[in-house]
């Protein structure tokens, strides 16, 4: 090539970079869409049909989205012990109709006990002992759920507290029939071993040495007593102090843990500003740190906004059936952009994200137009498995979870994710109080660079410190049409796959116009920087590996499907459409109609 041609090529590249960098700003201008209408009726979606029924019944009694979300979350603590909980934590978004500035993010994430040090998790070779990190009382974070649910209700609910707790209490006291998913999970060797290691868990889930079978009536009298205490004395007096607190401390002490009364009495929820970002004329509200989910979601959407993803849409609309079934509208170039955007976000997660009360998270820089533009420009036609996390300019110095959504008839939305971390948490129950304890502290980078149960690595930003919250991937999200009224409410379990699942459902629905049901059912991919490989669910078309490998991606097709997105989308006419992921046994419904029939294990 001559010098002139090289210079011309360089100029063209520079112009292309400028165009890519400026594109989103141009797209934001003047693209506000008219208000979405009020929902014609309220809607609820959760991972258990009984919890969905509880939420719908509370809406029918005149409750709002906060009442229904709290009632459903408490019901999940009874009927969905894999993830529903009193002994865990989570996050929720409250988004009132038409007032996005009044939206709030509630952080009820567990905290590290004051007397716990990371060294407690190391074995004699100085390596993280995975059993200690997942199945011992050391792994237990100070629970946040009781105070969190109470705080959400106190601030935004409208029904009396006791009325909101009552349905869960009835389910615990009078019992419910074990569903096929719980029966299946109780047979899982890892969970069985963890649960059976605790006499209190064993007594509930493996009476007479056998797992509870499908259809068996399960009454949980100890749990009912704890819920009663919560209903009558509130969280501070009925859980964090008094007999329940005594039992938590005794269980911890007996099991080699360090949670004490000071930890319980000192626990506080945090009300935080949600992260806000515009995407194609809609306002995305999502969870700030200590979740990484919202940061990554906005980074990835920001990057994708500047790519010509529209061109794929025309093909999708030309033949929607083929698009849904065979993915023919999403070519490998678009997927390459998804993957590379995710890789960049996850690299920064490992380096920079942690509890903002303990670590200065460079949030502004990570969500800045500069970061987004630089990342987009750096994405070429080939995979970049070797990329390193963003470094601040030298001058500035460095299982199982569950999600539920409610949209009430007044247009208020709650998006709530809660967890014990892996299924059934540590498997350890609090004797006499009837609830399982989380193993959330494995979400810390217990040792720099040493992967946690999801293969996530981290360093100083997410190191364990007394009182600190471990970094999370939970991504409760609400999208407001034109920045005003709820258009899409969604979230998921799945560890880091939460982030990729939420991103993909959101993009499929908002960009490619797929129905919410199709977007939730569609195959997913996952990329989290380390390991370098991109994982594909089984149902992608067969040629996809070769196409992505041709761009330098390392690809692994999984035999399993993952995550369990729960979503409510509002149709232009105001009819809510509810999608509970067919990968799991959840159920969604609208007021006045029966909830959807859950999938069975092995169906998908
Ligand atoms: O907070 C987190 O990111 C994890 N503890 C969530 C765990 C999870 O989603 C497991 N679910 N399948």
């Amino acid at each position: 090539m001559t010098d002139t041609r090289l210079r011309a090529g360089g100029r063209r590249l520079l112009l292309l970079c400028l165009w890519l960098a400026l594109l989103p700003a141009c797209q934001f201008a003047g693209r506000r869409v008219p208000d979405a209408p009020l929902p014609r009726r309220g809607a609820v979606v959760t991972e258990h049909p009984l919890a969905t029924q509880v939420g719908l019944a509370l809406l029918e009694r005149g409750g709002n989205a906060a009442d229904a979300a709290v009632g459903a979350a408490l019901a999940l603590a009874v009927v969905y012990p894999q993830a529903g909980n009193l002994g865990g934590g989570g996050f929720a978004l409250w988004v009132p109709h038409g007032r996005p500035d009044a939206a709030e993010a509630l952080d009820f994430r567990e905290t590290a006990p004051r007397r716990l040090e990371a060294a407690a998790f190391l074995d004699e070779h100085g390596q993280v002992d995975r059993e200690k990190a997942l199945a011992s009382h050391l792994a237990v974070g100070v629970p946040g759920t009781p105070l969190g649910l109470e705080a959400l209700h106190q601030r935004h609910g409208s029904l009396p507290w006791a009325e909101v707790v009552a349905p869960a209490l009835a389910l615990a006291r009078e019992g419910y029939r074990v569903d096929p998913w719980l029966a299946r999970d109780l047979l899982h060797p890892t969970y069985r071993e963890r649960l059976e290691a605790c006499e209190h868990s064993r007594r509930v889930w493996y009476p007479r040495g056998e797992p509870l079978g499908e259809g068996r009536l399960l009454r949980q009298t100890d749990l009912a007593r704890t819920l009663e205490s919560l209903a009558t004395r509130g969280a501070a007096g009925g859980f964090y102090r008094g007999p329940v607190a005594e039992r938590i401390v005794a269980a911890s002490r007996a099991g080699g843990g360090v949670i004490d009364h000071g930890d319980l009495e000192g626990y506080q929820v945090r009300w935080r500003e949600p992260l806000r970002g515009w995407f194609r004329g809609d306002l995305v509200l999502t969870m700030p740190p200590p979740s990484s989910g919202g940061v990554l979601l906005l980074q990835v959407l920001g990057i994708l906004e500047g790519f010509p993803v529209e061109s794929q849409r025309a093909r999708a609309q030309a033949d929607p059936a083929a698009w849904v079934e065979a993915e023919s509208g999403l070519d490998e170039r678009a997927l390459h952009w998804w993957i590379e955007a995710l890789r960049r976000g996850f690299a920064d997660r490992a380096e920079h994200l942690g509890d903002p009360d303990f670590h200065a998270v460079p949030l502004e820089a990570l969500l800045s137009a500069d970061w987004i533009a630089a990342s987009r420009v750096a994405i070429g036609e080939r995979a970049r498995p070797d990329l390193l996390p963003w470094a601040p300019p030298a001058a500035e110095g460095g299982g199982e979870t569950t999600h539920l959504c409610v949209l009430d008839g007044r247009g208020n939305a709650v998006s709530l994710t809660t967890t014990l971390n892996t299924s059934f948490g540590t498997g350890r129950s609090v004797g006499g109080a009837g609830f399982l304890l989380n193993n959330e502290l494995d979400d810390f980078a217990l040792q720099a660079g040493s992967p946690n149960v999801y293969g996530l690595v981290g360093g100083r930003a997410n190191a364990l410190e007394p009182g600190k919250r471990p970094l999370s991937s939970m991504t409760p999200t609400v999208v407001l049409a034109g920045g005003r009224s709820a258009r899409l409410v969604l979230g998921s379990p799945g560890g880091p796959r939460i982030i990729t699942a939420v991103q993909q459902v959101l993009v499929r629905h908002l960009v490619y116009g797929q129905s919410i049901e199709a977007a939730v059912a569609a195959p997913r991919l996952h990329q989290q920087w380390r390991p370098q490989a991109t994982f594909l669910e089984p149902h992608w078309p067969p040629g996809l590996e070769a196409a992505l490998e041709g761009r330098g991606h390392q690809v692994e097709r999984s035999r399993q499907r993952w995550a369990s997105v729960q979503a409510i989308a509002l149709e232009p006419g105001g009819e809510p459409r509810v999608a509970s992921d067919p990968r799991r046994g959840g159920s969604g419904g609208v007021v006045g109609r029966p909830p959807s029939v859950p999938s069975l294990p092995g169906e998908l």
Side-chain angles (χ1 to χ4, degrees):
M1 247 198 264
T2 65
D3 272 9
T4 333
R5 278 166 69 194
L6 268 178
R7 274 200 299 275
R11 267 199 307 275
R12 268 201 301 277
L13 190 66
L14 192 69
L15 280 174
L16 178 70
C17 293
L18 268 173
W19 176 75
L20 282 173
L22 292 174
L23 195 60
C26 306
Q27 285 184 332
F28 287 151
R31 262 194 316 109
R32 295 209 159 210
V33 297
D35 278 4
L38 269 181
R40 291 222 186 119
R41 56 197 116 230
V44 178
V45 59
T46 81
E47 281 207 280
H48 199 291
L50 290 172
T52 300
Q53 278 170 24
V54 166
L56 287 171
L58 288 166
L59 289 182
E60 277 163 25
R61 291 166 77 100
N64 66 11
D67 298 309
V70 171
L74 289 168
L76 287 167
V78 180
V79 300
Y80 193 55
Q82 298 96 315
N85 66 82
L86 293 182
F91 302 119
L93 284 187
W94 161 260
V95 184
H97 180 69
R99 291 186 297 131
D101 293 348
E104 291 187 293
L106 173 62
D107 166 358
F108 54 100
R109 182 79 164 155
E110 303 90 327
T111 53
R114 295 167 309 158
R115 290 185 295 135
L116 186 62
E117 284 174 17
F121 291 93
L122 302 185
D123 63 17
E124 65 274 21
H125 310 292
Q127 305 295 316
V128 174
D129 177 333
R130 304 296 312 145
E131 277 299 292
K132 280 189 189 164
L134 288 171
S136 81
H137 272 276
L138 286 176
V140 181
V142 181
T145 297
L147 256 180
L149 297 182
E150 186 188 62
L152 179 58
H153 172 264
Q154 264 178 4
R155 191 121 145 185
H156 297 297
S158 60
L159 295 174
W161 172 239
E163 231 176 275
V164 173
V165 185
L169 182 53
L171 284 166
R173 197 178 271 153
E174 289 153 31
Y176 72 101
R177 301 267 166 205
V178 170
D179 64 87
W181 292 87
L182 175 56
R184 185 199 67 166
D185 290 346
L186 289 173
L187 291 169
H188 190 289
T190 307
Y191 308 141
R192 181 169 189 167
E193 194 184 322
R194 285 187 196 155
L195 288 162
E196 287 200 314
C198 167
E199 56 165 313
H200 309 293
S201 304
R202 198 165 57 231
R203 205 176 312 128
V204 177
W205 309 108
Y206 301 89
R208 288 185 288 281
E210 287 307 316
L212 292 173
E214 183 184 339
R216 176 77 187 268
L217 182 72
L218 174 64
R219 292 198 181 91
Q220 299 176 75
T221 45
D222 288 344
L223 179 55
R225 202 174 324 112
T226 303
L227 285 164
E228 174 96 66
S229 166
L230 202 58
T232 53
R233 298 166 62 199
F239 187 93
Y240 293 87
R241 288 172 200 264
V244 177
E246 289 294 343
R247 290 181 188 281
I248 297 173
V249 171
S252 179
R253 197 173 295 144
V258 296
I259 292 182
D260 62 20
H261 285 289
D263 291 316
L264 292 170
E265 288 164 21
Y267 182 82
Q268 287 182 349
V269 301
R270 298 259 189 271
W271 288 96
R272 302 185 187 274
E273 267 298 303
L275 296 183
R276 295 174 159 84
W278 286 94
F279 180 63
R280 306 171 74 86
D282 290 333
L283 182 62
V284 180
L285 296 175
T286 185
M287 197 64 210
S291 179
S292 60
V295 177
L296 263 117
L297 182 65
L298 294 186
Q299 287 179 324
V300 171
L301 293 178
I303 293 174
L304 294 181
E305 174 123 37
F307 280 113
V309 280
E310 272 309 16
S311 58
Q312 311 298 326
R313 193 187 197 175
R315 291 162 58 186
Q317 279 167 347
D319 188 2
W323 196 78
V324 170
E325 282 164 35
E327 296 301 315
S328 58
L330 257 181
D331 68 8
E332 112 282 342
R333 193 156 180 244
L335 299 180
H336 166 74
W337 293 330
W338 289 12
I339 296 169
E340 289 305 298
L342 288 164
R343 199 192 303 280
R344 282 176 187 273
F346 270 101
D348 285 354
R349 180 195 198 277
E351 181 74 15
H352 297 296
L353 299 190
D355 182 349
D357 296 344
F358 284 75
H359 174 83
V361 176
L363 205 53
E364 235 174 79
L366 293 176
L367 292 173
S368 66
D370 281 358
W371 187 96
I372 294 198
S375 303
R376 187 183 310 120
V377 163
I379 294 177
E381 295 296 331
R382 306 228 3 122
R384 290 281 312 277
D386 52 345
L387 74 84
L388 294 174
W390 170 80
E396 289 173 31
E400 201 57 61
T401 297
T402 192
H403 185 83
L404 64 90
C405 309
V406 182
L407 183 62
D408 67 28
R410 282 156 265 173
N412 305 308
V414 171
S415 186
L416 184 151
T417 317
T418 182
T419 188
L420 291 163
N421 193 20
T422 60
S423 274
F424 307 101
T426 52
R428 292 347 187 225
S429 293
V430 176
F435 60 88
L436 285 158
L437 289 165
N438 68 82
N439 52 9
E440 216 74 63
L441 301 191
D442 186 55
D443 277 349
F444 280 120
L446 292 172
Q447 195 176 44
S450 166
N452 77 354
V453 70
Y454 308 108
L456 292 166
V457 290
R460 207 164 50 83
N462 188 31
L464 186 147
E465 291 176 60
K468 188 174 177 183
R469 287 155 150 89
L471 183 62
S472 171
S473 301
M474 293 188 278
T475 316
T477 296
V478 177
V479 179
L480 300 182
R484 289 193 59 78
S485 38
R487 172 177 186 189
L488 180 61
V489 187
L490 80 169
S492 178
R497 289 164 200 242
I498 294 172
I499 300 172
T500 47
V502 167
Q503 170 257 318
Q504 285 159 51
V505 170
L506 196 148
V507 169
R508 283 172 181 283
H509 184 61
L510 297 185
V511 177
Y512 297 109
Q514 280 188 299
S515 73
I516 193 62
E517 296 89 337
V520 168
R524 295 180 185 140
L525 58 77
H526 180 68
Q527 159 61 233
Q528 62 173 46
W529 181 56
R530 295 289 179 267
Q532 292 183 352
T534 295
F535 297 89
L536 299 181
E537 281 194 330
H539 295 79
W540 288 97
L544 185 57
E545 278 97 333
L548 288 172
E549 281 160 8
R551 289 176 178 272
H553 291 276
Q554 185 190 330
V555 183
E556 281 182 33
R557 192 171 287 246
S558 164
R559 280 190 301 164
Q560 284 169 353
R561 309 193 75 181
W562 57 72
S564 175
V565 174
Q566 311 297 308
I568 302 175
L570 202 64
E571 289 190 335
E575 195 59 44
R577 280 181 70 163
V578 179
S580 186
D581 205 318
R583 290 162 181 79
R584 301 296 300 249
S587 155
V590 295
V591 168
R593 301 211 193 113
S596 62
V597 177
S599 310
L600 293 172
E603 253 183 1
L604 198 74

